Amino acid sequence: MANEPLDLRTPPPPRPVPDGLPVASPREPLAAHNNAEHDQLLEWSALEYERKPHTTNWFLAFGAITLAFLLLSIIIKSYLFLALVSLSSLVILIYAKREPKEFSFAISPQGIRMGNRIYSRSTLVSFWIFNHSHIKELSIETSKPMSPFLRIPLGEMDPQKIKEMLILFLPEKKHKEFFTDQIAHKLGL
């Protein structure tokens, strides 16, 4: 039977949901699951990042800094650095101009759902809530080596409610704010 051809016309069987975490279908919201074990479910939606309007001066300053780095890379004949500066500048400009997407999030004792991705409780290590005046963000440490930290915007959700829910099944441990996050916040990205 192992030599049978794979029929790509038939849809794959549904993937199992880890530890019984309910998955919302487009027609049925996640909160509609009324199992007793899922009573402690928190749901919210938030923009992936806070949109800050950029002035003409911001774009002029960004262009001047980019131009300086491009000239430096040409002077020192570092074409790899030239490519890196060009690509980085392009990505920053795209993010500065694009509108942030809205994602839905859910927390239950079984795990965390971010959009369509589910993180099982068994992969979660600790949590911390960054509650600055300008931004509220949930940081989740995971056991996954490729994505050791998840950053979840809280939007209008009360950070105290999140903390009361997570403290029941995850330890609270202070996380450091990454240097890249600090730069992105300062640049308004």
Side-chain angles (χ1 to χ4, degrees):
M1 295 283 174
N3 293 333
E4 288 185 21
L6 179 64
D7 187 4
L8 297 176
R9 293 173 289 182
T10 58
R15 291 176 26 190
V17 179
D19 296 327
L21 184 66
V23 177
S25 69
R27 295 184 198 114
E28 177 185 17
L30 192 56
H33 294 271
N34 289 327
N35 290 343
E37 69 181 68
H38 301 298
D39 285 344
Q40 298 179 339
L41 182 71
L42 286 177
E43 277 193 287
W44 73 97
S45 62
L47 297 175
E48 62 182 319
Y49 58 89
E50 184 182 337
R51 175 93 163 111
K52 294 183 180 176
H54 299 293
T55 63
T56 305
N57 289 341
W58 186 92
F59 284 104
L60 288 174
F62 180 76
I65 292 169
T66 301
L67 186 60
F69 277 118
L70 290 174
L71 289 174
L72 175 67
S73 64
I74 291 171
I75 290 170
I76 63 173
K77 295 182 181 176
S78 177
Y79 302 112
L80 183 60
F81 184 58
L82 177 77
L84 179 69
V85 169
S86 300
L87 287 175
S88 300
S89 300
L90 183 65
V91 168
I92 289 173
L93 282 176
I94 288 171
Y95 266 87
K97 293 297 252 177
R98 99 179 163 104
E99 293 293 323
K101 296 177 186 172
E102 188 167 345
F103 287 98
S104 62
F105 305 96
I107 298 175
S108 78
Q110 289 72 36
I112 295 177
R113 179 176 52 82
M114 296 173 58
N116 294 329
R117 297 206 53 183
I118 296 173
Y119 295 89
S120 171
R121 179 179 168 184
S122 62
T123 64
L124 308 179
V125 177
S126 67
F127 79 96
W128 182 254
I129 296 176
F130 292 104
N131 195 1
H132 304 299
S133 60
H134 62 282
I135 193 161
K136 296 181 292 184
E137 204 171 45
L138 172 63
S139 176
I140 302 286
E141 183 180 4
T142 70
S143 59
K144 297 182 176 193
M146 294 303 288
S147 58
F149 288 93
L150 305 172
R151 296 297 170 98
I152 303 172
L154 296 182
E156 298 300 318
M157 178 56 91
D158 181 15
Q160 190 60 32
K161 285 184 180 178
I162 302 273
K163 182 177 180 176
E164 289 169 1
M165 174 78 173
L166 286 174
I167 204 78
L168 297 174
F169 60 93
L170 269 182
E172 182 178 20
K173 178 179 141 190
K174 185 167 183 160
H175 297 173
K176 291 182 180 179
E177 194 166 8
F178 296 123
F179 181 67
T180 53
D181 291 336
Q182 293 173 359
I183 290 174
H185 293 314
K186 288 201 189 309
L187 287 176
L189 299 176

